[in-house]
Amino acid sequence: DAKTTQPNSMESNEEEPVHLPCNHSTISGTDYIHWYRQLPSQGPEYVIHGLTSNVNNRMASLAIAEDRKSSTLILHRATLRDAAVYYCILAGSARQLTFGSGTQLTVLP
Amino acid sequence: DAGVTQSPTHLIKTRGQHVTLRCSPISGHKSVSWYQQVLGQGPQFIFQYYEKEERGRGNFPDRFSARQFPNYSSELNVNALLLGDSALYLCASSLARQGGQETQYFGPGTRLLVL
């Protein structure tokens, strides 16, 4: 599976936008970019996914670079409930998810 | 709608014992996957089942086995428990769409402690 690189941790102030980066320079043409998050003491939760175009849903936006070697998860207004570990995952023909270490997001009041 | 449910929520076993963990998928989901999450790390893939057939296996020893029942629920079995098997065991279900687009929905997990 192609690998992703994320910062270990990030901080954000409450009600401000958060941009979580992910590098995936070895992505293949058929890999989808998925983001999941894991709140404390819970299972991972699906956030968003995309292939080439930017995507928006009620939780977040996903901005994908034109060469697809990087992407950014955007939380438009961070709340305290958004404090979690965010995982960027490439999903291809294999249906299992390969999690890395993720980014620990801390939201400051 | 009910999400993915897992039982038990917590479990304490001793080395050498056997454990069975259970998972009920979201209604309509035919695929179930199992993951192990050791403290401080991301989840690691163990197995995936679709329509009662094993469709994927991660890098885990043969002490780990699983099965899926006609109602799509699943069991994960671990024999000869080791201290290193202490972890959060996560079950995820999905609709089994075309690869790459599949969204997995995770349960709350079973926390296993091996003493």
Side-chain angles (χ1 to χ4, degrees):
Chain A
D1 289 330
K3 198 172 176 182
T4 62
T5 304
Q6 299 177 253
N8 289 333
S9 62
M10 291 185 65
E11 277 188 359
S12 172
N13 294 319
E14 196 176 11
E15 297 189 7
E16 290 187 355
V18 182
H19 290 233
L20 296 165
C22 181
N23 288 320
H24 28 79
S25 58
T26 59
I27 190 170
S28 74
T30 55
D31 284 341
Y32 282 77
I33 301 159
H34 287 244
W35 285 82
Y36 284 74
R37 71 180 185 180
Q38 188 170 20
L39 280 65
S41 301
Q42 294 188 24
E45 174 188 31
Y46 167 78
V47 178
I48 200 167
H49 78 279
L51 184 62
T52 56
S53 304
N54 294 345
V55 184
N56 300 296
N57 66 21
R58 64 176 180 80
M59 289 181 69
S61 295
L62 176 60
I64 301 173
E66 197 169 332
D67 64 5
R68 300 211 324 127
K69 293 184 176 182
S70 65
S71 60
T72 302
L73 179 70
I74 302 165
L75 307 179
H76 295 287
R77 285 185 70 211
T79 70
L80 297 178
R81 288 174 295 179
D82 291 323
V85 178
Y86 286 79
Y87 296 98
C88 170
I89 300 166
L90 301 183
S93 57
R95 290 176 170 81
Q96 63 262 34
L97 299 176
T98 301
F99 288 81
S101 301
T103 297
Q104 174 69 63
L105 175 65
T106 300
V107 180
L108 304 173
Chain B
D1 285 343
V4 176
T5 59
Q6 294 186 242
S7 63
T9 56
H10 295 82
L11 203 51
I12 300 175
K13 292 285 189 178
T14 57
R15 281 177 295 176
Q17 284 189 312
H18 162 270
V19 68
T20 297
L21 310 180
R22 296 177 175 83
C23 171
S24 292
I26 292 171
S27 178
H29 285 192
K30 298 182 178 180
S31 182
V32 169
S33 299
W34 287 95
Y35 294 80
Q36 179 196 65
Q37 186 172 26
V38 173
L39 199 60
Q41 298 181 18
Q44 300 299 306
F45 172 73
I46 310 175
F47 286 109
Q48 186 179 71
Y49 277 77
Y50 174 69
E51 293 277 14
K52 297 175 288 178
E53 297 288 328
E54 182 184 300
R55 202 160 67 168
R57 173 186 285 251
N59 188 23
F60 280 81
D62 291 343
R63 299 184 296 107
F64 289 77
S65 64
R67 55 179 175 167
Q68 187 177 32
F69 299 99
N71 66 353
Y72 304 113
S73 67
S74 178
E75 282 183 354
L76 175 70
N77 295 282
V78 186
N79 292 323
L81 285 167
L82 303 174
L83 296 179
D85 295 330
S86 296
L88 180 68
Y89 288 85
L90 295 158
C91 173
S93 74
S94 62
L95 285 168
R97 289 181 177 173
Q98 188 175 7
Q101 298 193 65
E102 191 164 284
T103 297
Q104 296 198 14
Y105 297 85
F106 286 81
T110 293
R111 188 162 295 282
L112 172 65
L113 177 61
V114 181
L115 301 177

